[in-house]
Amino acid sequence: MPLHWKLVIDCADPHRQAAFWGAALDYAVEDHGALITRLLAAGAVTGDAVTEVDGHPAWRTLAAVRHPEDEYDPASDTGLGRRILFQAVPEEKRQPKNRLHLDVHPGPGERAATVARLEALGATALRDVQESGGEWTVMRDPEGNEFCVH
């Protein structure tokens, strides 16, 4: 039986990263407000674990995005399919090349427009690559994590 998985990305600001990647991938940014409210009322979590984002309770150190067509738990808004979780860590990202990165595939003829849209969202284009196997643009997200647009 296949394993369920999510990609977890360490970052400084999980809510900024979730907003960027949600917009970049056209994914839903998960709203854990109802779950957090229930857990606070039950005394299962304390207020120091929570912040406010866009007027609703959110985890201070976690945020997530999910594919809009995948199943999710309506009680917690937690995705049950393709999902990226961003977790705050105290250390800064070091600049050597990532060992793992996302490739974004907008479709034939859409790379330049997608690169421009992602730059408007806060990404930075680093270089265009042309090899016998294809062409892509290497970019960095708002926290410096590399990804490619094919």
Side-chain angles (χ1 to χ4, degrees):
M1 174 146 192
L3 295 175
H4 173 75
W5 61 270
K6 64 181 163 279
L7 177 63
V8 179
I9 298 177
D10 292 349
C11 61
D13 184 341
H15 300 286
R16 179 179 178 210
Q17 287 294 87
F20 171 79
W21 283 105
L25 299 172
D26 201 19
Y27 271 36
V29 177
E30 295 180 356
D31 177 359
H32 303 132
L35 171 64
I36 292 168
T37 299
R38 284 194 312 277
L39 293 173
L40 284 169
V45 297
T46 59
D48 61 339
V50 178
T51 189
E52 186 174 301
V53 175
D54 298 329
H56 59 84
W59 298 115
R60 182 173 303 285
T61 61
L62 299 170
V65 298
R66 60 179 161 75
H67 192 284
E69 296 174 1
D70 287 353
E71 292 184 37
Y72 65 96
D73 175 11
S76 67
D77 203 42
T78 300
L80 303 174
R82 294 162 281 187
R83 183 174 188 242
I84 305 173
L85 176 71
F86 302 94
Q87 68 179 7
V89 295
E91 66 274 4
E92 293 183 18
K93 180 193 181 312
R94 294 187 177 90
Q95 285 306 320
K97 182 173 174 24
N98 298 352
R99 297 291 305 257
L100 173 77
H101 69 269
L102 296 178
D103 279 357
V104 178
H105 297 268
E110 296 297 318
R111 182 166 49 106
T114 300
V115 167
R117 182 176 69 81
L118 296 173
E119 286 177 316
L121 292 172
T124 304
L126 299 177
R127 65 187 173 280
D128 290 319
V129 178
Q130 295 182 346
E131 293 184 357
S132 59
E135 298 179 7
W136 60 90
T137 301
V138 178
M139 302 188 77
R140 283 198 180 126
D141 73 12
E143 289 201 3
N145 300 301
E146 291 183 10
F147 66 100
C148 298
V149 179
H150 286 260

